[in-house]
Amino acid sequence: MFQIAPLFRGLAAIGLGFALLGCVPSQEQALPSAVRADVVGPQKIIALVPDPESAAQMRQATRSAGYQELDVTRLGDLDLTMLTYRMPDGVTGAQAIAALEAAVPTSTVGVNHAYRLQQQQGAAQALDYADTMMRWSEGGCAARVPIGLIDTAIDATSPALAGAEVITRAFFEGPSAKTTHGTDVAAVLANPDRLRGVRIYGANVFGQPEAGDPVAGADALVRALDWLSGEEVRLVNLALAGPYNKLLNLAVDRAAARGLILVAAVGNEGPTVDPLYPAGFEEVIAVTAVDVEGRIYRNAVRGPHVDVAAPGVDVMLPTAGRLRFVTGTSIATPFVTARLAADPAVAAARNVSEARSRLAETSAELGPEGRDTVFGYGLALAENICGE
């Protein structure tokens, strides 16, 4: 592992002394008191089954118990079938899970947990420091693999994506959330100073409820993973976080077994909460955020699952028609995904363990020697990885 160079402290001296219009200094953001473990559709219950016989048993069990069938979808690339039901009045999610898994032992049944974006507007702390901090080669690297992006919709007409091929698909019904977040993340991936020739498969999983923040259901994430697996995508960026969900757990297991390398934000719910998901799964590379001086983002989730850190505090982005500064583990995550996409050793990796080992070998210490619960293996570096 490398030691981080001291030059980043000098970058802080040229930071702008004012907040951009419409942005709030991240230092003024209060830590949330608790993680929101809400659901999309309180009366919705979802079952994943492995074969037609199990599907038939589930349909019989739910029909006899008064469940209303809402949808049946074959997830061919995960080798699963998803059955969605409305629970009878008076039945709780816990009761439905226990009853249906008992009736069909091969099934995995769960509620439709909500997952949220992990980005906020930031203050202008420093200029465009991220590439220098990660030691990207001048002119960037060629993208070795296509990249999946499970996020909001992407504005493929954004000038920031002029050099990228963007293929999109939606995985929910109803109005779509704004494209800002997905476009921001895609812009980090497609910046030619980092990656050239990028192909992005954008899975739009975020709907916009009548009130409140955009949310993505666990069912949308599962469908998106199935699609990306079928498109033979190797790297998947998930700049979102939420509670543990057994449906998502099963889908992540299946995707990882098929060779997908998933990279996810640890979340912005604060240093004292339990791991958020999908970053909390062993099969996922968990990314945290640091500022220009290598200090941890104050709202970042911590724990033994943290793998690596990347720039994620007041990162400058040329999207939404102007220069903006954004903060959060969401914006740190695509820096790590881009770094992995540029590395021929990762393109040849057989599984996420090999990709994680590659990051461990090429990261810069930020905390105690070795892996720690704040920075993981340290700052992800892109030095000498192009392999050209």
Side-chain angles (χ1 to χ4, degrees), residues 53-125:
E53 181 181 357
S54 299
Q57 292 173 351
M58 181 60 67
R59 299 183 83 172
Q60 174 61 36
T62 51
R63 186 164 47 246
S64 61
Y67 289 75
Q68 178 187 355
E69 187 173 283
L70 301 177
D71 183 72
V72 178
T73 301
R74 179 61 186 166
L75 306 174
D77 287 287
L78 297 183
D79 200 20
L80 295 167
T81 297
M82 177 188 291
L83 302 100
T84 306
Y85 299 95
R86 177 181 173 82
M87 294 181 288
D89 291 342
V91 175
T92 68
Q95 291 169 338
I97 292 169
L100 297 181
E101 288 188 344
V104 187
T106 56
S107 67
T108 298
V109 182
V111 298
N112 198 29
H113 279 125
Y115 293 80
R116 300 182 184 275
L117 302 170
Q118 302 297 303
Q119 178 176 307
Q120 64 192 44
Q121 298 297 321
Q125 180 195 48

Side-chain angles (χ1 to χ4, degrees), residues 8-378:
F8 308 123
R9 285 160 176 77
L11 289 171
I14 59 173
L16 303 178
F18 54 90
L20 297 178
L21 183 64
C23 298
V24 180
S26 58
Q27 289 79 4
E28 295 177 8
Q29 300 281 341
L31 287 175
S33 59
V35 178
R36 291 169 290 184
D38 51 348
V39 297
V40 179
Q43 286 301 111
K44 183 183 287 188
I45 196 77
I46 299 171
L48 294 176
V49 296
D51 50 56
E53 181 181 357
S54 299
Q57 292 173 351
M58 181 60 67
R59 299 183 83 172
Q60 174 61 36
T62 51
R63 186 164 47 246
S64 61
Y67 289 75
Q68 178 187 355
E69 187 173 283
L70 301 177
D71 183 72
V72 178
T73 301
R74 179 61 186 166
L75 306 174
D77 287 287
L78 297 183
D79 200 20
L80 295 167
T81 297
M82 177 188 291
L83 302 100
T84 306
Y85 299 95
R86 177 181 173 82
M87 294 181 288
D89 291 342
V91 175
T92 68
Q95 291 169 338
I97 292 169
L100 297 181
E101 288 188 344
V104 187
T106 56
S107 67
T108 298
V109 182
V111 298
N112 198 29
H113 279 125
Y115 293 80
R116 300 182 184 275
L117 302 170
Q118 302 297 303
Q119 178 176 307
Q120 64 192 44
Q121 298 297 321
Q125 180 195 48
L127 296 176
D128 192 8
Y129 68 93
D131 290 347
T132 302
M133 188 174 189
M134 291 185 67
R135 305 180 193 170
W136 280 94
S137 300
E138 185 176 354
C141 305
R144 298 284 175 171
V145 293
I147 299 173
L149 190 61
I150 300 181
D151 211 290
T152 70
I154 300 170
D155 178 8
T157 67
S158 171
L161 302 178
E165 179 184 0
V166 181
I167 303 153
T168 62
R169 184 171 170 181
F171 293 91
F172 61 90
E173 297 179 357
S176 177
K178 294 180 180 180
T179 62
T180 304
H181 190 275
T183 306
D184 284 351
V185 174
V188 173
L189 295 171
N191 187 320
D193 290 335
R194 288 182 281 277
L195 285 182
R196 304 185 308 274
V198 182
R199 181 187 300 165
I200 296 174
Y201 287 83
N204 178 8
V205 297
F206 278 92
Q208 181 61 60
E210 293 183 2
D213 298 330
V215 292
D219 58 342
L221 272 62
V222 171
R223 294 172 191 266
L225 286 171
D226 179 68
W227 175 58
L228 294 173
S229 179
E231 296 293 338
E232 299 185 353
V233 171
R234 287 294 316 281
L235 273 175
V236 181
N237 191 98
L238 299 108
L240 48 83
Y244 173 81
N245 181 280
K246 60 169 65 177
L247 305 168
L248 182 59
N249 194 347
L250 178 58
V252 166
D253 285 348
R254 292 291 179 97
R258 284 157 174 74
L260 272 72
I261 298 170
L262 310 183
V263 187
V266 297
N268 302 341
E269 299 289 352
T272 62
V273 304
D274 290 335
L276 299 181
Y277 296 87
F281 294 126
E282 174 63 25
E283 298 84 0
V284 177
I285 292 173
V287 180
T288 192
V290 294
D291 68 10
V292 65
E293 296 194 56
R295 298 173 301 197
I296 194 66
Y297 171 46
R298 65 188 295 269
N299 286 8
V301 174
R302 305 180 187 188
H305 64 297
V306 178
D307 286 303
V308 72
V313 178
D314 297 328
V315 172
M316 188 172 73
L317 292 176
T319 58
R322 66 189 192 281
L323 289 176
R324 298 158 44 247
F325 289 81
V326 298
T327 290
T329 56
S330 265
I331 208 63
T333 303
F335 281 106
V336 175
T337 302
R339 179 256 172 271
L340 292 171
D343 193 338
V346 174
R350 292 168 294 181
N351 52 49
V352 68
S353 295
E354 293 184 6
R356 182 178 283 122
S357 295
R358 177 66 170 156
L359 285 174
E361 294 166 359
T362 58
S363 59
E365 295 281 10
L366 290 173
E369 185 175 355
R371 189 176 185 179
D372 64 78
T373 61
V374 177
F375 303 103
Y377 292 108

